[in-house]
Amino acid sequence: MSTQTKNEPEKKGEAKEKRRLFDATGKRLVREIRPLRGWIALSAFFCLILIGCAVAAPELLGGLVDKLYAWTKDHTPGLARSLLPGLGLLLGIYAVQAGVTYGNSYLLNNVVSRYFCAELRIRLSDKLRRLPVSYVDQTPAGDVIDRMMEDVGNMADSIYGIVEILLTGFLQMFVIALILFLTDWRMAIPVVLLSPLSVWLSAKMATLGEKHWDKHFNLGGELTALAEEAYTNYPATKAFNREAYLQEKYDDLSQRHQRNGIFGNFLSSIVQPVIVFVDALAYIAVALLGGWLIVHRGMPIGTVVTVILFARQLSAPLERIAFGLSYVQHVKSAAKRVFNLLDLPEEEDPAETAQAPTKGRVEFRNVDFSYDPEKPLIRNLSFSVQPGQKVAIVGPTGAGKTTIVNLLMRFYDIQKGQILIDGEDISKLSRADTRRRFGMVLQDTWLFKGTVAENVAYGSPEATREEIERACDLAYCDHFIRRLPQGYDSVISEDSTAVSSGQKQLLTIARALLADRSLLILDEATSNVDTRTELLIQKAMDRLMGGRTCFVIAHRLSTIVDADCILVIRDGQIVEQGTHRELLDQKGFYYELFNSQYKI
């Protein structure tokens, strides 16, 4: 109840802010394009040329109409000769207007927008690099991809709209209104009085669509995440006949996404017809007033034609403003998702230092940690590991085995206590310094799309081909690599069928051997492989562990019987500690675990 009460004012404040056109998000959008001010200044210059053309054409056409009207009265010879210069100039003005319009559109859409889009995606990529692992664990990959691609693309399009609103539209409307007053103030009044009404209606109606665009973009992220998840787990979907379930889920999201998009588009699109309607009222008023002034006040027809043309021209900036105002809401909804990602708190990290040789002594001192503050996991955990020791961590699922590895690698930071490597508190080291001390071989292999050599050298990009081949030979994978079509230059990936799951595991062991770190973390690497490959992997791992401090997360207890020390974890605490024989003799929790796996 207290949480709802606390958040209520915030929600009201957000709703109030949504009714404003340029709220915090809108202002930030304007700030984001400041680095492009040089290009935008050039666009502004083009806009001034367009305004000049828009002003000159009606004036020139009004003068030509006066000449033509005068000729109808006295039929003075040489009409064509007197009209041709003006017609040629008018044609030139329209040609310049068309050329500058194309140039401005090309500048904004292909130069500014693309540059802005690329720069923003680079910033997002850099931001992701500095976010804590917890964000990646909790956020679907598809949602992040959607923000980087779809939402950034929509933001890039905003530059064109913002420039059109703040520069071309309002400036052109001001210039035309001024000329109307200078031409004839009586005919200018109805036009100028109705124009603010158009702008006010545009702004008012444009803000109504923002909540629908917010939902539209959020649902778009969910759709991308669902599609990515379904594709990644395609074999499982097929195996359990869940195609219909996924299709229903996707259809539901898609329909809600479409529905909000329709409402958003409707509210955005209805603005322009309203502008056209108000502008038509102004046009009718000017035409009627102009006719009355011609008949009763003897006003020249050319003047009336000029005013009517300017009145019609006023609809162009008004429609442009209407389009821009409606589009800003569309863009703001995308920008919120991008800005939310850019504004996430980053990991605090000390500066990197020159790394001294690591001996490999590790100590946990009274460590407390939990992923959720309301659900304690590790409490007052203490143990020490000497250089070169092989330490196995065993326990039931959810006991905290993988969590210990996450804390060692500083994927997560502890809430209390200390973790020391060679007497140094790792919280005082940068994460890069800490992770450079560790090699890892996980249960789930990971290979990227690239050559075999590039995959093995992933943690040691400066390694020579000879060093790569030696590491692969030590890891018992040189023989099958050389049988591939291009050997070490064969392109593979995580989904590649050219190498088996066991061979992929051998490649990750070769990667760890090449990195040659003093500390080693091994997740059970022999799962789901045949017996012969398991023996090869075990032999490769034995070579890898030689002379290193090793932490082995063990699922099959038979693989860690030779460990120097076995830590038995239960509910985040060490309940037993010792060698395999010592723990069996105690006939405690480890004894029960071992017998549950191997007792017949």
Side-chain angles (χ1 to χ4, degrees):
M1 182 67 70
S2 60
T3 306
Q4 289 176 353
T5 309
K6 182 179 178 182
N7 291 340
E8 228 172 275
E10 294 177 12
K11 288 180 181 178
K12 286 180 181 177
E14 287 174 8
K16 185 176 180 181
E17 189 177 47
K18 281 185 180 180
R19 289 194 292 268
R20 295 167 52 196
L21 181 63
F22 286 103
D23 54 14
T25 306
K27 291 174 183 175
R28 183 167 177 180
L29 269 171
V30 176
R31 290 198 303 270
E32 288 288 335
I33 64 175
R34 280 181 183 171
L36 307 175
R37 54 184 174 267
W39 291 108
I40 292 175
L42 179 58
S43 174
F45 175 70
F46 287 160
C47 291
L48 290 174
I49 295 175
L50 291 174
I51 292 170
C53 292
V55 169
E59 287 283 357
L60 190 58
L61 192 56
L64 292 173
V65 170
D66 277 338
K67 288 182 180 180
L68 185 61
Y69 182 69
W71 179 83
T72 59
K73 289 182 177 181
D74 51 23
H75 298 284
T76 307
L79 174 65
R81 193 167 50 252
S82 64
L83 293 178
L84 279 176
L87 289 172
L89 184 57
L90 189 63
L91 183 62
I93 288 172
Y94 284 130
V96 169
Q97 190 176 30
V100 173
T101 300
Y102 172 79
N104 195 36
S105 297
Y106 181 86
L107 171 69
L108 290 172
N109 291 325
N110 294 284
V111 179
V112 178
S113 292
R114 287 185 183 179
Y115 174 83
F116 175 81
C117 190
E119 194 272 339
L120 196 53
R121 285 183 179 136
I122 290 170
R123 284 170 56 194
L124 283 171
S125 177
D126 184 59
K127 180 72 178 185
L128 288 171
R129 183 178 60 83
R130 291 180 278 111
L131 287 177
V133 174
S134 57
Y135 175 79
V136 178
D137 286 346
Q138 297 165 11
T139 308
D143 184 65
V144 177
I145 293 169
D146 192 69
R147 294 182 194 224
M148 293 185 71
M149 303 305 296
E150 187 70 21
D151 294 339
V152 170
N154 280 295
M155 284 181 67
D157 292 339
S158 72
I159 297 177
Y160 187 83
I162 288 172
V163 172
E164 288 289 293
I165 292 170
L166 297 182
L167 189 64
T168 312
F170 282 110
L171 186 56
Q172 188 175 355
M173 190 172 68
F174 172 77
V175 171
I176 291 173
L178 180 62
I179 292 173
L180 281 172
F181 269 104
L182 292 175
T183 305
D184 189 275
W185 64 269
R186 294 166 295 184
M187 297 179 68
I189 287 176
V191 178
V192 174
L193 285 178
L194 288 170
S195 295
L197 175 63
S198 300
V199 175
W200 180 81
L201 281 173
S202 300
K204 197 71 177 175
M205 297 183 70
T207 56
L208 297 176
E210 185 172 356
K211 66 178 181 180
H212 296 291
W213 286 123
D214 285 347
K215 293 177 183 176
H216 179 78
F217 284 111
N218 286 328
L219 288 166
E222 291 182 39
L223 275 171
T224 307
L226 180 63
E228 186 268 340
E229 184 182 81
Y231 183 79
T232 304
N233 299 296
Y234 189 74
T237 303
K238 286 286 187 184
F240 289 97
N241 295 318
R242 298 294 282 171
E243 297 96 331
Y245 165 76
L246 275 175
Q247 187 63 48
E248 287 175 13
K249 194 173 179 181
Y250 194 87
D251 287 348
D252 176 61
L253 278 175
S254 186
Q255 286 170 10
R256 287 158 56 199
H257 179 259
Q258 182 188 40
R259 190 161 54 245
N260 281 283
I262 288 171
F263 283 131
N265 274 314
F266 172 75
L267 291 169
S268 298
S269 301
I270 202 173
V271 175
Q272 193 167 1
V274 171
I275 292 292
V276 172
F277 175 73
V278 175
D279 184 58
L281 294 178
Y283 181 71
I284 292 169
V286 169
L288 292 174
L289 181 59
W292 186 86
L293 289 172
I294 290 171
V295 174
H296 296 284
R297 292 290 185 269
M299 178 178 284
I301 293 177
T303 303
V304 175
V305 170
T306 300
V307 172
I308 289 175
L309 287 172
F310 274 123
R312 290 300 290 168
Q313 278 207 8
L314 197 62
S315 65
L318 286 174
E319 289 176 18
R320 189 178 292 117
I321 289 169
F323 172 79
L325 292 177
S326 62
Y327 195 69
V328 161
Q329 304 304 324
H330 175 269
V331 172
K332 279 170 58 183
S333 297
K336 285 176 191 174
R337 287 165 46 81
V338 174
F339 293 155
N340 285 342
L341 180 52
L342 286 173
D343 294 339
L344 286 172
E346 300 174 7
E347 290 180 321
E348 294 182 5
D349 215 11
E352 292 186 35
T353 57
Q355 183 181 333
T358 305
K359 297 177 181 177
R361 187 175 186 278
V362 178
E363 184 178 0
F364 275 58
R365 289 183 184 172
N366 309 115
V367 170
D368 285 1
F369 173 78
S370 62
Y371 297 103
D372 183 348
E374 296 181 1
K375 297 178 182 178
L377 178 58
I378 290 178
R379 293 160 291 172
N380 199 35
L381 180 64
S382 297
F383 66 87
S384 62
V385 181
Q386 299 305 315
Q389 278 193 323
K390 176 183 176 182
V391 177
I393 305 170
V394 303
T397 301
K401 304 186 297 294
T402 303
T403 300
I404 291 175
V405 171
N406 287 339
L407 299 180
L408 275 171
M409 295 293 290
R410 288 198 69 192
F411 293 153
Y412 291 84
D413 285 329
I414 60 177
Q415 278 103 38
K416 184 182 176 183
Q418 288 181 303
I419 300 175
L420 301 100
I421 297 178
D422 295 340
E424 287 185 279
D425 188 338
I426 63 173
S427 65
K428 304 293 191 297
L429 302 172
S430 72
R431 286 174 174 77
D433 285 340
T434 302
R435 292 165 189 165
R436 267 195 289 267
R437 302 166 191 253
F438 287 91
M440 291 187 76
V441 178
L442 302 178
Q443 183 177 359
D444 297 323
T445 60
W446 178 78
L447 302 174
F448 61 90
K449 187 172 183 178
T451 66
V452 172
E454 289 169 343
N455 270 279
V456 173
Y458 185 72
S460 311
E462 72 289 345
T464 64
R465 175 57 71 93
E466 290 74 18
E467 290 170 333
I468 293 170
E469 292 178 3
R470 174 169 169 72
C472 291
D473 186 45
L474 291 172
Y476 300 102
C477 51
D478 179 75
H479 64 286
F480 74 78
I481 293 174
R482 295 191 182 278
R483 289 203 301 267
L484 294 172
Q486 282 82 42
Y488 282 86
D489 295 316
S490 299
V491 176
I492 59 172
S493 68
E494 184 60 34
D495 301 323
S496 176
T497 57
V499 289
S500 69
S501 57
Q503 290 170 337
K504 290 176 184 177
Q505 192 64 274
L506 289 171
L507 289 174
T508 63
I509 294 172
R511 181 189 290 168
L513 273 166
L514 185 61
D516 194 23
R517 308 287 170 81
S518 302
L519 294 155
L520 187 63
I521 294 172
L522 298 171
D523 200 342
E524 181 64 71
T526 57
S527 302
N528 304 320
V529 295
D530 61 84
T531 305
R532 182 176 179 278
T533 306
E534 180 180 353
L535 290 172
L536 280 178
I537 292 174
Q538 196 61 57
K539 288 171 67 177
M541 287 173 64
D542 289 340
R543 281 187 174 178
L544 178 61
M545 289 186 285
R548 294 180 172 87
T549 304
C550 302
F551 293 86
V552 182
I553 297 177
H555 303 283
R556 285 194 238 178
L557 301 184
S558 61
T559 61
I560 46 92
V561 294
D562 61 339
D564 299 305
C565 179
I566 299 173
L567 303 177
V568 186
I569 306 293
R570 188 177 190 179
D571 298 328
Q573 293 182 302
I574 298 175
V575 294
E576 292 175 16
Q577 182 174 340
T579 64
H580 172 69
R581 178 48 54 191
E582 290 170 346
L583 293 173
L584 285 180
D585 291 342
Q586 290 178 20
K587 294 193 175 181
F589 186 56
Y590 179 82
Y591 178 82
E592 294 176 7
L593 285 175
F594 190 83
N595 282 335
S596 68
Q597 290 188 15
Y598 300 104
K599 187 175 181 180
I600 301 176

